[in-house]
Amino acid sequence: DNVFVTAQVAVQQSVKAESVVDAMYKLSNVHAQIDSYVSDVVRSSVPGMTLDEAFEKKDDISNAVQQKLTAEMASYGFQIHKALVTELVPNQEVVHSMNEINKQKRLRDAAIMAAEAEKIKVVKAAEASADAAQLQGEGIARQRRAIIDGLRDSITHGSQESLSTEKITELLLITQYFETLRDIAAQSKAQTVFLPHSVSAVSDVASQIRNGVM
């Protein structure tokens, strides 16, 4: 990724009991030598990785460092127990950029989730409205059917006469007409409505509605 990274490596070491003389006299600065080997391995391994890969493969880098030190320091009387990459610290500007990327990603995810939630609310509200309208329609249909049955029974009760479809339709329209008048009168904020209200007017309304529908 062409960014600077500072790698901190911890090395656990000890002097071999049979090689104390080598450990004391072969190297004048043991820590500097180990640091050189560690730097050599890190510089050869990390540049071939992306920043994300470097964080993911810290164990691979640690193993490479340990293998290198074990092979090279054995001749100087040292035993390498463990080499650990304890921390990888990118340049501060890179850290800021990574944090900004994560921030924007989380903001985008939050916006998507909020939009999905709003979509679900709108869909559910529409479904509820449709269900309410359907139930209301079914209720009105049952109400009208009961009214028609009641009117038919009250008119034809005790006689052999039967009502035609036209007469039943007129009865239903008249019933709806009076219900409309009742609903208008029941409204507290109803506007003034002029209707030709008489027996002949009811017949005219029924005729007009029937002719308009048919």
Side-chain angles (χ1 to χ4, degrees):
D1 289 332
N2 296 324
V3 296
F4 288 99
V5 177
T6 301
Q8 297 183 8
V9 181
V11 178
Q12 299 174 359
Q13 63 187 26
S14 64
V15 176
K16 295 179 180 180
E18 67 277 10
S19 304
V20 175
V21 175
D22 293 337
M24 290 294 296
Y25 297 105
K26 279 192 174 183
L27 290 174
S28 59
N29 192 331
V30 176
H31 296 297
Q33 187 63 52
I34 291 177
D35 184 67
S36 297
Y37 286 134
V38 170
S39 299
D40 180 63
V41 174
V42 171
R43 289 193 185 104
S44 62
S45 301
V46 175
M49 305 177 183
T50 64
L51 188 59
D52 291 338
E53 289 175 346
F55 281 102
E56 293 172 359
K57 297 181 178 181
K58 286 172 60 177
D59 290 341
D60 293 343
I61 300 172
S62 299
N63 292 335
V65 170
Q66 183 172 347
Q67 291 174 5
K68 177 72 171 180
L69 290 177
T70 300
E72 298 295 337
M73 297 302 293
S75 60
Y76 298 108
F78 285 91
Q79 181 179 358
I80 305 300
H81 300 284
K82 195 68 176 178
L84 296 173
V85 177
T86 58
E87 191 173 7
L88 288 173
V89 183
N91 181 275
Q92 191 60 37
E93 293 181 358
V94 177
V95 174
H96 177 73
S97 298
M98 292 173 65
N99 291 336
E100 189 64 25
I101 290 172
N102 289 331
K103 174 184 175 182
Q104 295 302 325
K105 180 180 178 181
R106 282 166 174 74
L107 289 174
R108 183 190 64 185
D109 292 342
I112 292 174
M113 293 178 66
E116 288 292 335
E118 187 64 25
K119 175 184 176 182
I120 292 173
K121 288 172 59 179
V122 171
V123 170
K124 291 300 181 183
E127 290 177 352
S129 178
D131 292 341
Q134 180 181 358
L135 292 174
Q136 182 181 14
E138 292 174 355
I140 293 174
R142 287 194 298 268
Q143 180 188 30
R144 295 289 182 262
R145 186 163 53 250
I147 291 173
I148 292 172
D149 293 340
L151 289 172
R152 182 192 297 112
D153 291 342
S154 64
I155 293 173
T156 61
H157 181 69
S159 67
Q160 299 299 323
E161 183 182 356
S162 62
L163 293 179
S164 65
T165 303
E166 181 179 355
K167 292 296 184 182
I168 294 174
T169 303
E170 287 183 357
L171 287 172
L172 180 59
L173 290 174
I174 292 170
T175 302
Q176 291 178 334
Y177 174 79
F178 283 110
E179 285 183 356
T180 302
L181 293 178
R182 181 197 63 191
D183 293 339
I184 293 174
Q187 293 291 330
S188 61
K189 297 181 180 180
Q191 304 295 322
T192 302
V193 178
F194 294 95
L195 291 173
H197 182 62
S198 65
V199 177
S200 62
V202 173
S203 178
D204 291 340
V205 170
S207 177
Q208 291 172 14
I209 294 176
R210 184 172 59 255
N211 292 335
V213 172
M214 299 180 179

